Amino acid sequence: MNETIRIGTRGSALAIWQASWVKSRLESLHPGLQVELIGIKTRGDKILDVPLAKVGGKGLFVKELEESLLDLRTDLAVHSMKDVPSEFPNGLMLGAILEREDPWDVLLSVKHASLETLPMGAKVGSSSLRRQSQLLHLRPDLEVIPLRGNVNTRIDKLEKGQFDAILLAAAGVNRLGLLQYVRQHMNLEQMVPAAGQGAVGIEVRCDDQHILNLIAPLDHLQTRVRVLAERSFLAALEGGCQVPISSFALLKQGQLHLTGRVGNLDGTKQLTESVFGSINAPEELGKSLAAKLLHQGADQILAQIYRELDG
């Protein structure tokens, strides 16, 4: 093989790491293949002075990458799965989901050992309303402050004392080798992750069978099943990565176990439910879990959140 293909990627250190990892895997699998990284700035990367939920819209970190695929400027796009909307533009599809990294959220701090030992009224940085809701449910005394920017930018603000602690996805911290700041891994009871958190996806054109064949060995079946269930739950609630909806799936004894949570912005209301079922029907399991939480009033919580955000 003597061929060059182009990967579209955001320009952050974490995005470049993920795209470079895909590049190395593909070049290892297909000797002679050359892979080029094409950096693309997304709307979410450009607007840094507004909380994500206030920016509005889905696909804040993927739309421009998808446009590059449709315009034939790139051959595949590498995404963090938690950023990928439930629906794809006509002509595009998810070609592969790579084996999942650490899916949990982590607390980072310079001075404090854990969430429990943070002082009353401590300042905690987070870009996520999902984390904010669950954090305030655990510690309503805390001051949660919007924190945008890439992983290194956020940690720099922590080091400068602007925050007592910050919350990030463990996968990104691990991939960038910044473990020295991690003080606590949040567990499932404390903080349910975002749908797809820790997993990397590859988006391609539906009609590009050649690229689909090249990336097929990268697809990790167990991760795909888990992530499809989580994303189906999110889609059934018509939510995106900017609202306090979380879901997490595990494979246990041949069955798929899925936990979902919906909370309000101040953490005073938290609906959590779990279901289990066949690994062969992950999307149906996600819909089933969503129906349970809707029956418990999740739609009312979400409607109130959208009113607050629009206000």
Side-chain angles (χ1 to χ4, degrees):
M1 180 179 294
N2 187 10
E3 177 188 4
T4 299
I5 64 171
R6 300 153 299 171
I7 294 179
T9 176
R10 294 167 58 200
S12 71
L14 179 57
I16 294 294
W17 188 100
Q18 291 174 169
S20 298
W21 189 61
V22 172
K23 165 182 160 72
S24 67
R25 292 288 307 278
L26 286 171
E27 290 177 341
S28 176
L29 284 165
H30 309 290
L33 180 68
Q34 301 291 317
V35 181
E36 180 183 357
L37 302 187
I38 307 294
I40 297 171
K41 210 160 199 177
T42 68
R43 184 167 177 242
D45 296 314
K46 295 173 185 174
I47 304 174
L48 295 175
D49 57 349
V50 180
L52 282 176
K54 292 287 187 180
V55 176
K58 298 179 181 179
L60 288 174
F61 295 105
V62 303
K63 183 179 178 183
E64 288 79 2
L65 294 170
E66 291 176 332
E67 289 172 350
S68 77
L69 283 169
L70 293 170
D71 293 344
L72 307 183
R73 287 178 283 128
T74 57
D75 302 297
L76 53 98
V78 174
H79 306 298
S80 294
M81 281 304 305
K82 67 181 179 62
D83 295 331
V84 179
S86 304
E87 296 181 358
F88 292 91
N90 288 336
L92 300 182
M93 63 178 287
L94 192 61
I97 303 178
L98 283 63
E99 185 172 3
R100 193 174 213 164
E101 236 275 18
D102 188 332
W104 304 110
D105 291 299
V106 286
L107 183 87
L108 289 77
S109 182
V110 173
K111 299 178 180 178
H112 307 287
S114 68
L115 177 63
E116 294 76 19
T117 60
L118 287 176
M120 289 286 291
K123 295 181 178 180
V124 181
S126 174
S127 64
S128 161
L129 293 183
R130 172 190 63 83
R131 292 184 183 123
Q132 171 185 306
S133 174
Q134 297 184 87
L135 184 62
L136 290 176
H137 182 70
L138 296 169
R139 286 283 308 269
D141 62 288
L142 297 176
E143 181 182 358
V144 182
I145 301 172
L147 174 61
R148 295 289 313 282
N150 60 43
V151 173
N152 287 305
T153 297
R154 297 183 201 192
I155 289 179
D156 183 57
K157 291 180 179 181
L158 175 68
E159 285 185 318
K160 289 178 178 176
Q162 296 180 30
F163 299 92
D164 295 294
I166 61 176
L167 281 166
L168 296 173
V173 176
N174 291 348
R175 287 167 179 153
L176 294 177
L178 298 169
L179 295 172
Q180 68 269 32
Y181 299 96
V182 175
R183 298 293 176 260
Q184 183 178 7
H185 267 72
M186 311 305 287
N187 60 38
L188 189 61
E189 289 187 3
Q190 294 169 316
M191 194 162 290
V192 181
Q197 185 163 302
V200 170
I202 302 177
E203 189 174 5
V204 298
R205 291 182 290 274
C206 300
D207 61 359
D208 197 335
Q209 192 58 52
H210 176 59
I211 294 295
L212 283 165
N213 291 339
L214 288 177
I215 66 174
L218 300 183
D219 192 59
H220 188 256
L221 180 58
Q222 292 185 355
T223 299
R224 174 178 282 274
V225 167
R226 293 168 62 190
V227 170
L228 287 179
E230 296 165 12
R231 285 169 54 80
S232 174
F233 170 76
L234 185 65
L237 293 176
E238 299 182 353
C241 63
Q242 288 90 46
V243 290
I245 302 174
S246 46
S247 56
F248 182 68
L250 277 174
L251 296 174
K252 292 182 181 178
Q253 299 176 331
Q255 286 191 315
L256 189 60
H257 289 242
L258 179 63
T259 297
R261 179 173 290 170
V262 175
N264 62 358
L265 296 183
D266 65 9
T268 55
K269 294 180 182 177
Q270 295 275 316
L271 299 180
T272 306
E273 190 64 73
S274 297
V275 295
F276 62 90
S278 170
I279 62 173
N280 298 316
E283 290 165 310
E284 291 307 310
L285 192 64
K287 293 174 185 176
S288 170
L289 179 58
K292 282 195 169 193
L293 283 181
L294 287 170
H295 183 70
Q296 295 176 24
D299 54 342
Q300 298 169 29
I301 292 176
L302 293 172
Q304 178 61 33
I305 289 169
Y306 290 124
R307 285 194 295 270
E308 290 179 33
L309 293 177
D310 289 341

